[in-house]
Amino acid sequence: MNREFKRLELDAEQEHLKEADKRRAHELEMKRLELSADGAKELGSSAEAAARAPKLLPLHENSHKMDAYLERFERFAMSNNWQEAVWAT
């Protein structure tokens, strides 16, 4: 009888630990989802701003003159507050 009681206690404790593990896994998953949703909001707002920003047309060697293109690029970079040190990249 005592042995049966010990086995039942161990089974109950094991079940309790499984439930605690499930709760922790659920909490972790909820936190991951929350963080990914926050990241998506941040990316979405910056992506929207980038989509609304004016675009610089690419250089077409046949139809554009290099001097005119560089002048347009400089105006574009200045209007977007780019640091001159990163213009080359």
Side-chain angles (χ1 to χ4, degrees):
M1 183 81 164
N2 193 17
R3 184 179 258 179
E4 182 67 22
F5 182 72
K6 287 276 190 188
R7 189 178 65 74
L8 288 174
E9 275 185 335
L10 289 173
D11 287 347
E13 185 177 342
Q14 188 175 18
E15 190 65 31
H16 177 73
L17 290 174
K18 284 181 185 178
E19 289 300 317
D21 285 345
K22 286 180 186 178
R23 277 192 305 274
R24 275 192 297 260
H26 177 72
E27 289 172 5
L28 283 172
E29 185 61 26
M30 294 302 290
K31 193 63 169 175
R32 277 191 203 108
L33 290 172
E34 182 182 316
L35 290 173
S36 67
D38 288 345
K41 286 178 191 173
E42 289 174 16
L43 288 175
S45 63
S46 64
E48 288 173 18
R52 287 191 304 260
K55 304 288 187 263
L56 178 66
L57 296 175
L59 172 66
H60 296 290
E61 292 181 26
N62 297 338
S63 61
H64 291 128
K65 297 191 182 208
M66 181 59 86
D67 291 338
Y69 178 79
L70 290 174
E71 192 173 309
R72 267 195 321 273
F73 173 83
E74 288 176 359
R75 281 195 309 258
F76 181 82
M78 283 187 265
S79 68
N80 285 294
N81 298 320
W82 292 356
Q83 294 178 8
E84 199 168 334
V86 297
W87 285 8
T89 57

